[in-house]
Amino acid sequence: MPALYRFLPLLAAAAVTMAQAQEVSVREPWVRATVPGMSATGAFMSLQSTRDASVVGAASPVADKVELHRMVLEGGVMKMRALESLPLPAGQAVKLVPGGYHVMLMGLKKPLAAGDSVPIRLDIRQADGSLRALEIQAPVRPLAGTAPAAPHDHSGHAAH
């Protein structure tokens, strides 16, 4: 078994690399289906980071432009606002939901139908300043029945 000991440093390095790759986890990603003529839709998911981080950008081959957005109530009217970044506080789930934070896919190249899968890249800035890409596949859900059953409170998150 002495030969096994030669591989321990390599295995340890691989474990560290895998742990770093898993710093931000994504749960239940999905994209709202569209109908012909719609040029934009939203992507939703839950994000959680093991260390403080921020989502600072996004991209997808299905759209000309992808932005982070937040719905806000101003003067009794819901308005959508673009965000430069979305903080991911260590250990806290940040939910991207209809009516709250979300990823906006604009300039869609074709309608998105239920059952399709949309590749999305999230650009994550780590607390140490490093930037990495997180690639996800988000299934497309039908238009009906995609809203959450109860309102979500995101008042604890700062908009940037």
Side-chain angles (χ1 to χ4, degrees):
M1 275 221 275
L4 176 64
Y5 292 113
R6 291 187 309 197
F7 295 105
L8 287 178
L10 181 59
L11 291 172
V16 168
T17 300
M18 288 174 57
Q20 289 173 342
Q22 297 300 320
E23 284 180 8
V24 177
S25 62
V26 179
R27 289 199 173 136
E28 299 181 27
W30 63 278
V31 172
R32 182 176 282 147
T34 63
V35 296
M38 283 180 69
S39 62
T41 192
F44 311 96
M45 65 201 75
S46 179
L47 301 169
Q48 188 164 343
S49 181
T50 58
R51 298 190 299 170
D52 286 344
S54 295
V55 181
V56 296
S60 176
V62 304
D64 291 329
K65 190 173 187 180
V66 181
E67 294 180 346
L68 301 168
H69 280 206
R70 179 181 186 195
M71 296 295 293
V72 294
L73 187 61
E74 289 181 1
V77 177
M78 287 299 285
K79 296 184 179 183
M80 195 172 353
R81 298 283 183 241
L83 301 172
E84 288 187 29
S85 67
L86 176 63
L88 302 176
Q92 295 181 27
V94 177
K95 296 183 184 288
L96 283 67
V97 297
Y101 295 119
H102 58 280
V103 175
M104 199 70 199
L105 303 159
M106 299 173 288
L108 293 173
K109 298 175 181 176
K110 67 175 188 151
L112 301 176
D116 290 348
S117 183
V118 175
I120 300 171
R121 185 193 78 231
L122 299 178
D123 299 323
I124 309 293
R125 171 113 24 230
Q126 303 294 338
D128 65 5
S130 64
L131 187 66
R132 73 176 194 86
L134 178 62
E135 303 283 344
I136 62 172
Q137 288 289 328
V140 177
R141 291 187 185 171
L143 285 169
T146 57
H152 289 72
D153 177 22
H154 295 284
S155 59
H157 302 291
H160 293 279

